[in-house]
Amino acid sequence: MEQKKFSKPLDESIGSSIRHYVNMQIDRAAMKGAEKMSWVSNKVIVTAIFIIAGSIILLFLGIALALLLGQAMGNYALGFLCIAAAVLILTLIVFLLRNKLFANKMSKMYTKMLLGDDKVSDLNQLHLRQQLMDQQIEDREEAFAQEYRMFKQMINPLTYINQFVSKVREAFRKEPNVTESSDDMEKSNTSDYQSKQF
């Protein structure tokens, strides 16, 4: 039994452990996603039920108030017009305050549920954090692209060939300079010799 365990090929055990690890990570991500989606679905369903129930209640309350006002004014149409005007004004107020009433609370709730982060207090802060994250991602992508270009240049054989050719050229360029300097030395020596003769 021990012999079989140790005679197992190394690459097979590493491959199976990597596969097992990847499958565990996928399962964990799926479970987290399922948990978060169930919370979101629960909130959406409960909110939809409250909205529908509240709308029906407000509708019947509006009809009852319209009938009462119409009976008090002696004209039911005026009662319904007054209730319609009140509902219109209330709708405009809710529309103007929509960010404070809904968007900020929703952004805080969803970031806490989906990201586990309760530092976001309103929609503007969420937008700023998203812009910051986008900038960080762009910077990281640029760094990856630069590293990839450097790696590509490192493994390119033409780079090494060009470097070798340029070094050879430099070596040949320096050699004539050495001969020129020796020629200059010979000329100076002959001039010294001639001056000594005269």
Side-chain angles (χ1 to χ4, degrees):
M1 199 84 166
E2 285 295 318
Q3 242 177 345
K4 282 185 180 179
K5 201 179 208 183
F6 287 114
S7 65
K8 191 175 180 183
L10 186 62
D11 57 348
E12 185 180 319
S13 64
I14 290 173
S16 65
S17 64
I18 289 172
R19 257 181 282 147
H20 183 65
Y21 174 75
V22 169
N23 287 334
M24 282 179 13
Q25 290 290 348
I26 291 170
D27 290 343
R28 184 173 75 167
M31 281 187 225
K32 282 187 176 181
E35 181 186 9
K36 289 175 181 179
M37 288 305 293
S38 64
W39 274 104
V40 170
S41 302
N42 181 35
K43 290 282 184 184
V44 167
I45 289 169
V46 169
T47 305
I49 288 171
F50 276 116
I51 287 172
I52 291 169
S55 300
I56 292 171
I57 291 168
L58 284 175
L59 177 68
F60 283 114
L61 280 174
I63 291 172
L65 280 172
L67 289 173
L68 278 174
L69 281 173
Q71 192 175 22
M73 292 182 192
N75 190 350
Y76 288 114
L78 283 175
F80 279 99
L81 278 174
C82 289
I83 295 300
V87 169
L88 181 66
I89 291 168
L90 187 65
T91 305
L92 285 172
I93 291 170
V94 168
F95 178 76
L96 292 173
L97 299 175
R98 66 189 180 278
N99 283 344
K100 288 183 179 177
L101 293 175
F102 303 112
N104 292 340
K105 290 179 182 177
M106 291 291 178
S107 64
K108 186 174 182 178
M109 179 182 72
Y110 284 129
T111 50
K112 188 172 182 181
M113 274 194 304
L114 297 174
L115 301 174
D117 187 5
D118 56 353
K119 294 176 184 173
V120 174
S121 60
D122 61 352
L123 194 61
N124 291 331
Q125 192 175 5
L126 180 65
H127 184 66
L128 288 173
R129 289 187 68 182
Q130 184 180 0
Q131 284 180 336
L132 179 65
M133 186 174 286
D134 289 342
Q135 184 63 42
Q136 289 174 346
I137 288 171
E138 285 177 15
D139 293 343
R140 177 49 50 196
E141 287 173 353
E142 182 61 34
F144 280 145
Q146 190 173 1
E147 288 173 8
Y148 173 73
R149 285 192 295 269
M150 287 173 57
F151 178 71
K152 191 176 175 184
Q153 189 176 8
M154 277 176 41
I155 63 170
N156 189 359
L158 290 176
T159 305
Y160 296 110
I161 292 170
N162 289 337
Q163 287 177 357
F164 177 73
V165 168
S166 65
K167 285 184 181 179
V168 169
R169 282 183 184 162
E170 284 178 20
F172 279 120
R173 282 186 194 147
K174 287 180 182 177
E175 201 170 296
N177 291 339
V178 171
T179 58
E180 285 175 10
S181 63
S182 64
D183 288 343
D184 291 341
M185 286 175 64
E186 284 178 15
K187 286 178 184 175
S188 66
N189 287 340
T190 55
S191 64
D192 287 341
Y193 177 72
Q194 288 171 354
S195 62
K196 284 179 184 176
Q197 281 185 347
F198 294 113

